[in-house]
Amino acid sequence: MRRLWTLCIMMVTGCVLMAQPVSQFVADYQPAVCTGDVPADFVRYCGEKVKKDDAAYHALFTSGELLFGTPMNAYVEAVAERLLEPYPELRQQLRFYVLRSPDVNAAAYENGMVVVNTGLLAQLQNESELAFILAHEIVHIQEGHIQAEREAAKKERRATRQTLPDFVVNTQYRSREHETEADRLAFQRFFSKTAYSYEALDGVFDVLQYSYLPFDEIPFDRRFVEAACYHFPDDYFLAAVTPVRAREDYADTLSSHPNLLKRREWIRRQVAAADNSGRSNFLQPEALFREVRDMARFECIDSWLTHHRYADAFYNSYVMLRQYPDNLFLRRALYMSLYGVSCQKNTDAFDDAVPPSKEVEGEKQQVCYFLRKAKVAELELLALRFAWQTHLRHPQDAFSLAVTDKLLHQLNEDNMLAYNKFSDYPMDYIPSPVEQAEQQTEEAVSGNKYDRLKQGSANRTKVLPAENFTTRNYMLADLRQTPAFWNHVDSLKGAMEDEASLSAFHTVRNSELRKPILVWNPLYFKLKLGGKNYLPQGDKLEKTILKSCKRLKINVSNVNRETMMTESAESYNHYCKLQRWYADYLNADGSSMALYQSCGIGEACAAAGTSHLCVAYAYSHPEHFIFRYMWLPFISAVLVPLASPIAAAHFFAFDYETKAQFAVMDVETSKILYSSSLDADAEQTDAYLHDFIYQSLHDVKHIGGK
């Protein structure tokens, strides 16, 4: 009965998707939301008290990235139903989820879960490839491979004194044996009993071999970031990109999987001996597959933006724009990528946002090279152009205008918004002496002084090109000719002047801080003396924050994160949105940049009862003796023997280096309402941290006038 009901749900979902036009993503894309009942796994693994062995499941289910009840889930479930039709009992034991992750991967868990990444769905070429990959993961569960590897590793640690290299080699060998068996049984036990095409199986290894590449290899046209009024120097672009070179016959001694050539050749031998007649790449409609794949691609771009992998987000949006040229989501991804690169250009995280071009191959290399060569001001102006153009295309989108204003604020702070900083003429254009004389004559006789002043921007003197002008000085030449843009700039500059004049009052009282605050998932990692891994103590930090709020009588939202995750699909969606905003914030590393996940967060804030999140993260670890100058007490003991006991006590009293960040954020505007930091060296690290939290919350109460 349960299988019949599941099949009905899959058929209805498929019909609904097929009833929609093929171009459902033409105008926009909204990130996937979960529907239906919350699976029992969430109730089991999302609680505060979970078993130590379930810690990995707890991290997965509370990440806000695990999806259920979406069209992508329905598609995966439908493929699984066909594979497991001869095994109804096994089907009852398995659960399938989709994970928001651009990594091309699927994973099996010993508790009967199979998790498929959006990155895998985004790169597949047909349904048959997905069927074989699911069959492969099912075999891992059915044959107990995960448990076997874990138990064998435990026994080796206890019974022998292997060197680390030997241990790794033995462990990876077992893993390769299991992977080989999973390929063999997936083909024989599951795939061969369906109507999926044998000929599609070679493509599975193409997907794996080129998993690091974008959705497609499309040459990047420099005109995409240039306009008639300006161009970038030629040395901002590569004459040719490095060809894609991905080996499949690599040494796999230290790999958990056999090399791809071995796996591919085994499959080819099976296919050569099999009859492919009557089989097909698709058992569901091909149009449905393409819809699901495009949805997964949009989700990958969303993930890249959230985790600040801007080169990936920008190039893949550029690729998808060929199919969806008017899609608001893609336009937003483009200007947020450029804006994000400008914010992280001179930070330690820049190599993650835009990898060095030497480490990239294929057409994406051109984008990485350009983004690394372009200057911060050029990137800000380019992002401004893209955001403003998106606003004109989609005037109903408030986020595009908000980011436009954020960029104008930044340019104004950098003294880059002065009127005479930008030319009114295109780059390389030299006005003739006659044009210049006519302009001067017109300025001298165009009415009286007061009439000219009242005309405002309509009567401004045009700025001529100057010898010291570079690309950035021409990047607004076309926009300056449109009254809408310059009037908006004038209006915003007036607002900024008013804000600056009133800023003194905000340092005394900030009425924005009078709303309730929601303490959101504090992070605290502590490395004990002699330990190898940081121990998570976020719950401990959260209790400290809540206790301090109670003592200070600060209004705290009573929303419970565990309840949000397990009460309903709607509440879980709100949790996911807030959690993804938090990931965006952590990746910003304290920057005041506008956060991508602030877009569309209003409903989640309403469900939480506030838009103010209290966020905190900290870590502490023992200081290395070299950096603590532990040789000083040793020398003092040698010079003054009577001081030996004191010196010994000091020598063995390890200090902990503790760093922490605390902030109250308005998640709808990405505005930092309050922030503070701690950098301390002390034995009693918890005491320092508790005092830091209490003092920060005391300041919040004082500034907010609570």
Side-chain angles (χ1 to χ4, degrees), residues 158-288:
R158 295 169 183 169
T160 66
R161 295 183 177 180
Q162 296 183 75
T163 62
L164 180 60
D166 287 341
F167 177 78
V168 171
V169 168
N170 291 338
T171 301
Q172 301 298 58
Y173 174 78
R174 284 193 303 271
S175 179
R176 289 196 302 276
E177 290 292 297
H178 289 151
E179 294 299 328
T180 300
E181 183 179 39
D183 280 348
R184 176 174 59 82
L185 294 180
F187 181 86
Q188 297 171 350
R189 189 179 292 172
F190 296 101
F191 193 88
S192 63
K193 297 180 180 180
T194 68
Y196 288 116
S197 173
Y198 290 134
E199 295 176 353
L201 291 179
D202 198 65
V204 171
F205 303 103
D206 290 335
V207 171
L208 299 178
Q209 183 176 355
Y210 300 105
S211 61
Y212 62 96
L213 293 177
F215 303 145
D216 204 349
E217 283 291 292
I218 305 295
F220 182 72
D221 189 343
R222 62 181 290 179
R223 291 174 297 180
F224 187 70
V225 292
E226 296 179 329
C229 60
Y230 73 92
H231 58 79
F232 290 103
D234 289 340
D235 65 356
Y236 277 31
F237 302 93
L238 293 167
V241 299
T242 303
V244 174
R245 178 181 177 271
R247 293 180 57 197
E248 59 178 348
D249 188 19
Y250 49 86
D252 57 12
T253 304
L254 299 179
S255 174
S256 61
H257 290 62
N259 73 45
L260 290 174
L261 183 60
K262 294 177 183 177
R263 299 176 69 185
R264 192 193 294 269
E265 288 179 343
W266 187 88
I267 284 293
R268 283 175 175 170
R269 290 195 295 271
Q270 310 310 306
V271 170
D275 181 10
N276 198 54
S277 58
R279 293 178 172 270
S280 174
N281 285 344
F282 301 94
L283 300 187
Q284 300 179 77
E286 184 175 350
L288 175 59

